[in-house]
Amino acid sequence: MRRRSAGTPAARPLPRPGAVASGKVRVAVAVLIAACAAVSACGAGSPRRGGASPAASPVVSPGASTPGPLATTTAPALVTTPANCPATSRHDDGFRAATASSGWELAWLDDAPGGTSLRAGAATADGALWALFGRQGGAVEPRRWDGGEWQAPPSAPSSQEVRALGAASADRAWVVVIAADGAPVLTVWDGAAWRATPLGLGAVTGAGPAAAGPWLALGTGSTRWDGAAWRYAPLPLHVNALTGPGDEPWAIGVADPTDPDAPAALARWTGAAWQSVPVPALDLPPDAEPVHADQGRTLVKSVVRTGPQEWWVLGAFQWMEHEHVDEEDIFPGRSVALRLGGGTWTCVVGASWPDGWKGFTAAAPDGRGGLWAVSVPDELWHLSEGRWTRERPPARGAGRASVEDLVARPGTGELYALGSIGTQPYGEGSRAALWRLRP
């Protein structure tokens, strides 16, 4: 069966950025879901094992990274309605997105040889912008934007085993590095050096560690930097990704990672504990032609807060069909945007695509009650005043943009898109790129 889916500068002291503005079928479905998650989690696929060792070893600090609990239990699940989204024809398009000219500017393009990209990003209240910089071959390292270039703090970890990135300020950022024995190690930049300590969240399973703002999560546990120490809080799900603002993040995952048919699960931080949020079920289109009794599955990729009590849950719905021309199984799907307001869900579902992945991945608020989201790699969708539009970020020459993450700069209304420009998405000749949208 065929399944279709979707040079380092010398280290030197950094200027502060604020100064510059059934059986086999279930297995196949599980593989597809894992592949889709790998494309978008943190804006990039998980690096492969067996990569190069870090360029320099960080200082190892003794002791656990979670000295005390942030919460000892999870909150009761949020009550929401409806439990199901209305089924619509595969040809119905609830978005009706109009094409718009791009307001994004290309702020930076890597001038080094090809095969580089910017992946997961993090912006902090003091104006710092951090990102994971990836090279051809899989090596990844954390870098910080100084307003004109991306700089790697001295002795930054650089290998295929550098995973989730988080940050609290220009002088406080961290990554999770997978050690040779498979243990996740929290590696923190404190403004002077990188210091490593055990993460304290157990072994790496499933999608591995996730990060957002001051939060890190792995398995069914999370930890938050409170400015002085890491504090632990249990999760009511097995986490695949963290998303949303630092004061109210959302965890995306599943209740049972061993079940390929397990529905998507969500949890939000209430300020005191993680609370489960039921995701409304989506049904197959009445004109779908599923095979192997497949009922389809909802894949959640991002959650965006657009108001005091309003959130949008973005992703896709996919199912399995049989392509009669090539006699192969394919996976058509539909983009999905679910609005949660006042405990009530509103479902927006797009027309189906024939195969692969064209659903939403990364997303960020626009600062004016709307949001931006990545669809296909070179297409950004904007929701503003109830209207959806789509546009393409500029790409120099004959290249094509591939956006892997969207980051909102706190308190400014300014957004950044991180990714690359190349002849094809994620191609070997790609060059890391940064786009900016000013308010």
Side-chain angles (χ1 to χ4, degrees):
M1 175 179 20
R2 180 183 64 180
R3 291 184 297 272
R4 294 180 287 185
S5 179
T8 308
R12 58 181 183 272
L14 299 175
R16 295 187 64 87
V20 183
S22 162
K24 294 182 179 179
V25 173
R26 293 192 175 194
V27 172
V29 171
V31 171
L32 171 71
I33 294 173
C36 290
V39 170
S40 58
C42 296
S46 297
R48 298 186 302 273
R49 290 292 180 92
S53 299
S57 299
V59 177
V60 177
S61 300
S65 60
T66 53
L70 180 63
T72 57
T73 187
T74 57
L78 184 68
V79 177
T80 63
T81 57
N84 296 78
C85 294
T88 60
S89 166
R90 65 192 304 162
H91 303 293
D92 289 343
D93 181 9
F95 293 100
R96 296 182 292 276
T99 301
S101 59
S102 180
W104 291 80
E105 61 176 327
L106 182 60
W108 176 84
L109 181 63
D110 190 13
D111 58 5
T116 61
S117 65
L118 289 174
R119 302 182 180 179
T124 61
D126 65 351
L129 177 63
W130 291 83
L132 290 180
F133 181 88
R135 301 188 193 88
Q136 186 175 341
V140 178
E141 69 181 25
R143 291 192 178 185
R144 197 181 73 188
W145 176 245
D146 67 7
E149 291 291 337
W150 288 94
Q151 307 291 345
S155 302
S158 178
S159 78
Q160 292 183 349
E161 301 303 337
V162 174
R163 304 295 177 87
L165 166 78
S169 68
D171 293 329
R172 176 69 61 167
W174 46 84
V175 293
V176 177
V177 181
I178 309 303
D181 61 359
V185 177
L186 178 63
T187 306
V188 180
W189 171 252
D190 63 6
W194 291 94
R195 305 186 185 278
T197 184
L199 181 58
L201 292 178
V204 175
T205 59
W215 289 86
L216 284 169
L218 177 65
T220 57
S222 71
T223 184
R224 187 183 73 180
W225 176 253
D226 67 3
W230 291 94
R231 304 294 181 182
Y232 175 83
L235 280 162
L237 50 73
H238 290 260
V239 67
N240 291 330
L242 288 177
T243 184
D247 60 337
E248 189 182 35
W250 286 66
I252 301 170
V254 293
D256 182 2
T258 66
D259 181 4
D261 292 330
L266 284 176
R268 61 181 284 265
W269 178 251
T270 66
W274 287 98
Q275 177 185 50
S276 293
V277 180
V279 182
L282 279 81
D283 294 326
L284 285 166
D287 48 354
E289 299 178 354
V291 295
H292 311 299
D294 183 38
Q295 294 301 305
R297 62 217 54 84
T298 302
L299 304 174
V300 174
K301 297 299 180 180
S302 190
V303 181
V304 176
R305 181 172 65 187
T306 54
Q309 292 297 319
E310 180 183 73
W311 299 269
W312 284 86
V313 176
L314 305 171
F317 180 79
Q318 287 192 288
W319 65 95
M320 183 186 295
E321 292 190 351
H322 191 73
E323 187 178 60
H324 298 289
V325 175
D326 295 333
E327 294 298 325
E328 296 172 328
D329 288 337
I330 60 173
F331 293 87
R334 314 177 73 177
S335 296
V336 172
L338 309 174
R339 177 188 175 274
L340 177 60
T344 300
W345 290 100
T346 302
C347 309
V348 183
V349 183
S352 68
W353 62 76
D355 192 17
W357 176 270
K358 295 182 180 178
F360 296 118
T361 54
D366 68 0
R368 303 184 300 275
L371 63 87
W372 286 90
V374 182
S375 179
V376 292
D378 63 343
E379 199 167 81
L380 297 175
W381 286 47
H382 186 206
L383 171 64
S384 177
E385 298 180 348
R387 179 173 175 262
W388 291 88
T389 56
R390 55 187 179 185
E391 58 191 68
R392 297 183 186 276
R396 188 172 297 174
R400 179 181 177 187
S402 296
V403 178
E404 300 195 33
D405 198 12
L406 292 175
V407 178
R409 184 177 174 186
T412 67
E414 191 169 82
L415 279 85
Y416 292 98
L418 294 80
S420 62
I421 294 177
T423 56
Q424 58 182 350
Y426 319 118
E428 293 183 357
S430 64
R431 299 162 63 188
L434 176 72
W435 293 268
R436 177 171 50 212
L437 181 67
R438 300 180 189 273

